Amino acid sequence: RKEVEQDPGPFNVPEGATVAFNCTYSNSASQSFFWYRQDCRKEPKLLMSVYSSGNEDGRFTAQLNRASQYISLLIRDSKLSDSATYLCGVSTDSWGKLQFGAGTQVVVTP
Amino acid sequence: DAGVIQSPRHEVTEMGQEVTLRCKPISGHDYLFWYRQTMMRGLELLIYFNNNVPIDDSGMPEDRFSAKMPNASFSTLKIQPSEPRDSAVYFCASSLPPGQGDSYEQYFGPGTRLTVT
């Protein structure tokens, strides 16, 4: 089993709709969690950190479920520009080493 | 503020040649990470440094790969000799140390797209 797993998608979302997807992790000792966005042929860009209490940044909401060992990302009022691959990163040691999932592709359609 | 800088952005080389990739982390970031990304294997961590010292190189595929960080503002990843299966995008990322600001948040450079023929 991989340490960090994501549904590869694609999630095809009509513009204006809401989409949500998860990322599961196997190391119960993991402390830090992140969502990154990666556009085609570009570098991953930090979208948001995921805090224990959950956090929101505009149309994006991230949540952490430690009991079931997954994090989630919800995108409301999807825009065409939200089309990208979303990678989750999970810390695996105290030095800041991250393990990344393979990514979830989101395609927002007009 | 300047982000992570990588060079070259594209590299095409023939099998057997030496390849050197370069990275300049964000000023003040004590951690530097080298990743490789392919369609088949996704984003893989190769090696990372703390204060110029290699902490974990368990992701380095084999002895053909080596990385150095001679000072806080420069790191290299070298492949010698290169093989076609090394073709990938190589990313460098940096972060603050734990306990400082947005620690653990890694910021990626634009990557080097390597093609070995």
Side-chain angles (χ1 to χ4, degrees):
Chain A
R1 181 187 173 187
K2 293 182 180 178
E3 288 190 51
V4 179
E5 294 199 71
Q6 295 184 251
D7 182 339
F11 284 64
N12 293 298
V13 187
E15 194 174 7
T18 296
V19 61
F21 41 90
N22 296 336
C23 165
T24 59
Y25 60 95
S26 60
N27 186 347
S28 60
S30 296
Q31 292 295 320
S32 299
F33 309 88
F34 306 93
W35 282 107
Y36 283 78
R37 170 199 170 117
Q38 186 172 28
D39 294 296
C40 187
R41 302 180 74 84
K42 297 287 189 179
E43 73 272 24
K45 291 188 176 179
L46 181 65
L47 182 64
M48 57 199 306
S49 303
V50 186
Y51 303 123
S52 297
S53 55
N55 48 305
E56 187 175 307
D57 183 2
R59 299 181 293 107
F60 297 83
T61 299
Q63 293 198 318
L64 167 64
N65 185 316
R66 284 195 184 275
S68 299
Q69 294 184 206
Y70 72 87
I71 61 173
S72 64
L73 182 66
L74 182 146
I75 307 174
R76 287 185 301 277
D77 187 23
S78 298
K79 311 292 184 190
L80 295 176
S81 57
D82 294 333
S83 296
T85 296
Y86 292 84
L87 303 170
C88 65
V90 177
S91 68
T92 57
D93 66 11
S94 60
W95 297 88
K97 177 180 176 179
L98 297 182
Q99 186 78 35
F100 285 90
T104 294
Q105 185 183 9
V106 172
V107 179
V108 182
T109 56
Chain B
D1 289 341
V4 176
I5 299 172
Q6 290 187 248
S7 66
R9 295 292 302 275
H10 301 272
E11 178 80 35
V12 180
T13 190
E14 292 183 348
M15 183 174 64
Q17 296 298 305
E18 177 180 296
V19 175
T20 300
L21 311 181
R22 298 172 176 78
C23 174
K24 176 180 169 56
I26 294 172
S27 178
H29 282 194
D30 289 351
Y31 285 81
L32 184 141
F33 304 82
W34 281 102
Y35 291 90
R36 177 173 68 176
Q37 188 175 39
T38 61
M39 288 293 292
M40 290 296 294
R41 300 177 67 89
L43 192 61
E44 303 175 279
L45 177 66
L46 301 177
I47 184 172
Y48 69 100
F49 295 83
N50 174 33
N51 288 323
N52 315 336
V53 177
I55 301 300
D56 183 349
D57 65 354
S58 59
M60 296 286 260
E62 48 199 273
D63 292 345
R64 297 184 298 106
F65 285 69
S66 62
K68 294 182 180 179
M69 192 164 185
N71 57 61
S73 59
F74 183 66
S75 177
T76 59
L77 178 68
K78 186 175 294 186
I79 308 172
Q80 167 63 18
S82 58
E83 297 182 4
R85 59 190 168 129
D86 301 331
S87 296
V89 181
Y90 291 80
F91 290 107
C92 175
S94 68
S95 70
L96 289 167
Q100 286 192 24
D102 298 323
S103 59
Y104 288 176
E105 291 182 349
Q106 295 184 20
Y107 296 87
F108 284 75
T112 295
R113 187 169 297 273
L114 174 65
T115 302
V116 184
T117 60

